Amino acid sequence: MEVVICDDDREVGHVAAAQIAQVVDDRGPSVVLGVATGSSPMSTYAALAELVDAGRLDLSHAQAFALDEYVGLPKGHPQSYHSFIQRHVVEPLHLNPHRVHVPDGTASDLERACIDYELAMAAAGGVDVQILGVGSNGHIGFNEPTSSLSSRTRLKTLTRRTREDNQRFFPTLDAVPTHCLTQGLGTILDARSVVLVASGEHKADAVAAIVEGPVTARRPGSVLQFHRFATIVVDEAAASKLELADYYRQVSSAKPLVPTSTS
Ligand code: F6R
């Protein structure tokens, strides 16, 4: 695991985007991206859009797979993750919408939709770089505490805390969906590399738990400690509870920001 501590969220976005652009360079135009929703990756998408607009990054042949989707929200609902990915990923990064996939939270057979999603990811050759945020309870994707560390894409019940955290996007708590489809922790671990971004003091406990705490389903993001190519990019506030922060700074200043098998 490599931990990069940045001055602010803008720098988080630039460091994460540079890492993703490096993967695109290595894998070529048909790279497969794993994309997160929520506030955390916004600065990363903005920095990627700058690279695209400057002609330094071409994602027009890339495929992308979203981490998760609410169950029951129509695809066109402004808060569906389908809509989010269209607005914040497909349009600014000039992706081909036909090559962008989001779990189908409106399917009549949700179990089948999850299996199909896993099959589509496998048919694409797997995810080259997975972008992640982390929930205040340590979830990644919508793998809530006590999720199986080897889980695959499936239906999950959202915790009250996650629904409260996401209420800011909805008029009332009751309007926040209660269920979702999410890639599993095992699915996420299959990505060839992962970049998790987090900013703000409200993420400090979760970041400390997943980076320096025990690997435990109680804090699902801690499973990333098993990943050979995981980079955690955080701002000072999100890093504020990391006991080994000075060590991470020392590592960053002494080597390039590319994960190695010795991370
Ligand atoms: C998003 C996702 C979630 C979020 C997490 C943090 O697709 O799967 O894990 O990354 O809930 O959300 P924000 O970034 O809004 O704080």
Side-chain angles (χ1 to χ4, degrees), residues 5-67:
I5 301 174
C6 301
D7 288 344
D8 53 29
D9 184 53
R10 191 167 176 278
E11 190 184 340
V12 167
H14 280 280
V15 168
Q19 179 119 12
I20 294 158
Q22 181 65 53
V23 174
V24 179
D25 247 21
D26 293 346
R27 300 296 296 185
S30 57
V31 65
V32 181
L33 307 175
V35 288
T37 62
S39 305
S40 306
M42 296 299 282
S43 56
T44 303
Y45 296 140
L48 286 171
E50 281 175 25
L51 294 176
V52 170
D53 291 344
R56 290 162 57 196
L57 182 67
D58 178 6
L59 294 173
S60 57
H61 297 284
Q63 290 203 68
F65 288 86
L67 271 175

Side-chain angles (χ1 to χ4, degrees), residues 35-42 66-69 81 84-85 131-137 139-143 162 165-166 168-169 182 188 197-199 202-203:
V35 288
T37 62
S39 305
S40 306
M42 296 299 282
L67 271 175
D68 39 23
E69 175 61 288
Y81 285 173
F84 177 102
I85 294 292
I131 302 163
L132 294 171
V134 61
S136 60
N137 63 3
H139 73 215
I140 54 174
F142 272 143
N143 294 282
T162 295
D165 285 348
N166 288 359
R168 66 192 191 280
F169 300 115
T182 181
I188 293 169
V197 288
S199 294
H202 62 302
K203 294 295 173 75

Side-chain angles (χ1 to χ4, degrees), residues 131-186:
I131 302 163
L132 294 171
V134 61
S136 60
N137 63 3
H139 73 215
I140 54 174
F142 272 143
N143 294 282
E144 299 285 37
T146 70
S147 287
S148 158
L149 300 182
S150 60
S151 47
R152 311 301 305 186
T153 303
R154 69 211 183 291
L155 175 70
K156 284 294 285 181
T157 304
L158 296 169
T159 60
R160 184 176 175 90
R161 182 163 176 188
T162 295
R163 294 181 63 240
E164 285 171 352
D165 285 348
N166 288 359
Q167 188 186 333
R168 66 192 191 280
F169 300 115
F170 293 86
T172 62
L173 182 59
D174 281 347
V176 184
T178 54
H179 291 79
C180 65
L181 302 185
T182 181
Q183 287 187 33
L185 295 171

Side-chain angles (χ1 to χ4, degrees), residues 71-72 75 104-114 116 155 181:
V71 166
K75 287 180 186 165
D104 185 358
T106 63
S108 53
D109 184 344
L110 293 171
E111 201 176 329
R112 183 71 245 168
C114 293
D116 288 346
L155 175 70
L181 302 185

